[in-house]
Amino acid sequence: MQERKYKFGTKAIHAGVEPDPATGAIMTPIYQTSTYVQEKVGQHKGYGYSRTLNPTRHALEKAIAELENAKYGACFGSGVAAIDALLKMLNPGDEVITTDDLYGGSYRIFTGVYAKYGIKFHFVSMNDLKNLSQTINKNTKLIWIETPTNPMMNIIDIEAVAKIAKKANIMLGVDNTFATPYLQSPMDLGADLVMHSATKYLGGHSDVVMGALVMNDQSIADEIYRIQNSSGGITGPMDSFLVLRGLKTLHLRMQRHCENGEKIARFLKGHPKVDKVYWPGFEDHPSHAIAKQQMRGFGGMISFSVKGNDLKEAHSIMERFKVFSLAESLGGVESLTCHPATMTHAAIPAKERQKVGIVDSLIRLSVGVEDAEDLINDLKQALV
Ligand SMILES: *Cc1c(COP(=O)(O)O)cnc(C)c1O
């Protein structure tokens, strides 16, 4: 299935998997095994020990790589474990430039874990790429971006960042969790690595925690596989099976996430209680033109602030929801709501938060695939 001639929906269903060679089972079995019997000393069928490689995980790694138009894939026990593996490619003294509006857990591993090993992190706004160019120096080894950003839905021009990175010989990693490969293909725009929290849209059913990295360059892949095997932050066969199953409907789910997202964004924009609505599909979103160019749809993630910017009011609106569930995470079939300032982004100091727009009344929605009318009615009764 490597051939690009297949379109996304076909790849989502067939990539990485083939009938089980032992039985013909059409679904990849859950190879719940730690080890593999060797025919002779050192002679096996490609699988020696399940930390190194497991057939269920292997099928998933190939599938995610193909969906991202990449050659190599590696899956980990969580999204942050995937980021952890990537950061282990760096050495003390190396510097990383990333966005100032970033998933809270990424900020936490950067500042709370790797900073003490002598890696320096710069957080800059990439709405203006001059900030990026000005921060690059001879120690810069990695540029790390998310687009759309979480939770402010800023859009970063991946192709423009890739050009800057290539010129300076810096590795570019893109967290593609929000957009998914259905809506955005960072490898085609010049990224060296794409990362996913497969916990979100790839798994799609809020039943698994997992991360993934994909890449094209063999030397990067060799290093990632060496780290995956050496540090051992792998994902198990059962979870691999669940995400393989999730991938088969990724295109169908994303179509509905996009449709529902648009209806809800437009409803919120016209609501008298709502102050600002952050969704890249609006013509007046500051980076709408870039979003249109690099994305094939605008997704189901929306943030909005409430007039008056009162924390208590935001909390009580969220507690009135009946269909939207109050929970961390995103990207599942069910609609979720979260309060970034006190939940996902609580790890970021208040001053930093306010600077990027994460005000006290900001509410984030992960719009699910329920009926849009029910979701809008839920918002109507909560926003009183
Ligand atoms: C959830 C998330 C992560 C971290 O993934 P986990 O699977 O929770 O470890 C990283 N980036 C983004 C954008 C996320 O939403």
Side-chain angles (χ1 to χ4, degrees):
M1 282 295 301
Q2 261 304 347
E3 304 91 75
R4 287 274 188 104
K5 65 181 185 215
Y6 291 109
K7 290 199 172 6
F8 193 91
T10 310
K11 289 206 284 186
I13 290 163
H14 296 284
V17 299
E18 33 189 80
D20 180 46
T23 62
I26 192 161
M27 299 314 301
T28 308
I30 303 163
Y31 284 94
Q32 196 74 48
T33 185
S34 60
T35 192
Y36 307 83
V37 177
Q38 307 195 355
E39 289 133 46
K40 286 186 197 157
V41 177
Q43 188 178 317
H44 56 66
K45 298 182 164 76
Y47 301 96
Y49 184 61
S50 281
R51 170 162 30 74
T52 318
L53 200 55
N54 169 283
T56 318
R57 190 181 96 215
H58 195 193
L60 176 64
E61 290 175 337
K62 286 189 282 191
I64 296 177
E66 280 187 43
L67 291 180
E68 283 288 2
N69 299 331
K71 283 198 197 125
Y72 307 99
C75 287
F76 299 86
S78 67
V80 293
I83 297 173
D84 180 79
L86 165 61
L87 292 173
K88 282 176 175 147
M89 288 181 71
L90 304 178
N91 293 306
D94 288 349
E95 298 190 13
V96 178
I97 306 174
T98 184
T99 45
D100 60 355
D101 169 21
L102 181 75
Y103 173 70
S106 305
Y107 180 88
R108 184 169 50 206
I109 191 172
F110 291 167
T111 59
V113 179
Y114 279 90
K116 77 171 179 215
Y117 293 112
I119 295 168
K120 195 166 170 191
F121 296 89
H122 302 271
F123 300 90
V124 304
S125 163
M126 294 201 203
N127 289 329
D128 182 353
L129 291 179
K130 256 199 246 119
N131 298 326
L132 171 63
S133 300
Q134 282 166 0
T135 314
I136 290 176
N137 65 42
K138 64 179 190 337
N139 296 324
T140 312
K141 291 289 148 58
L142 173 69
I143 296 169
W144 181 254
I145 62 173
E146 259 176 53
T147 180
T149 65
N150 176 14
M152 298 313 297
M153 310 306 293
N154 287 313
I155 300 293
I156 295 167
D157 186 336
I158 300 172
E159 199 166 20
V161 173
K163 280 201 186 114
I164 294 170
K166 284 253 145 49
K167 217 171 116 200
N169 200 20
I170 299 166
M171 200 159 63
L172 170 63
V174 178
D175 182 338
N176 205 27
T177 300
F178 267 38
T180 81
Y182 180 72
L183 298 180
Q184 179 169 278
S185 302
M187 298 301 288
D188 294 351
L189 300 170
D192 297 298
L193 283 131
V194 168
M195 173 262 165
H196 275 282
S197 169
T199 314
K200 317 292 169 55
Y201 289 105
L202 300 190
H205 296 75
S206 308
D207 52 9
V208 67
V209 174
M210 189 193 291
L213 290 174
V214 305
M215 49 258 140
N216 271 330
D217 185 278
Q218 171 137 29
S219 62
I220 296 177
D222 286 347
E223 187 61 2
I224 290 293
Y225 289 134
R226 191 182 71 79
I227 292 164
Q228 185 189 38
N229 188 42
S230 305
S231 291
I234 52 151
T235 189
M238 176 72 202
D239 287 354
S240 299
F241 171 85
L242 287 171
V243 176
L244 270 173
R245 184 162 75 166
L247 286 182
K248 291 181 197 295
T249 55
L250 179 62
H251 53 306
L252 302 174
R253 289 184 284 108
M254 290 312 294
Q255 283 162 20
R256 179 65 86 91
H257 284 298
C258 288
E259 280 169 30
N260 284 358
E262 170 152 18
K263 285 179 188 160
I264 285 170
R266 296 201 186 280
F267 163 77
L268 287 171
K269 199 160 194 181
H271 197 283
K273 285 225 124 186
V274 171
D275 186 11
K276 294 200 176 93
V277 185
Y278 302 92
W279 180 68
F282 287 132
E283 287 75 20
D284 61 355
H285 182 289
S287 308
H288 178 68
I290 300 165
K292 247 174 100 173
Q293 202 182 328
Q294 71 186 15
M295 299 178 77
R296 294 176 283 269
F298 304 110
M301 295 303 299
I302 300 166
S303 296
F304 68 98
S305 57
V306 183
K307 281 188 185 147
N309 193 27
D310 183 60
L311 179 107
K312 278 212 187 92
E313 195 190 356
H315 277 182
S316 50
I317 288 168
M318 296 174 70
E319 282 157 17
R320 279 194 289 271
F321 284 131
K322 295 192 169 84
V323 183
F324 283 87
S325 298
L326 175 59
E328 308 234 1
S329 201
L330 60 106
V333 288
E334 61 288 288
S335 292
L336 300 181
T337 178
C338 102
H339 186 247
T342 51
M343 294 168 70
T344 47
H345 290 64
I348 299 174
K351 248 173 112 187
E352 299 290 312
R353 274 202 315 260
Q354 313 255 331
K355 229 171 39 194
V356 300
I358 306 177
V359 296
D360 283 350
S361 74
L362 192 80
I363 294 173
R364 190 187 77 180
L365 302 178
S366 170
V367 178
V369 300
E370 299 97 335
D371 287 284
E373 206 180 320
D374 291 329
L375 297 175
I376 288 174
N377 285 336
D378 197 32
L379 285 161
K380 272 186 191 157
Q381 63 82 30
L383 281 164
V384 288

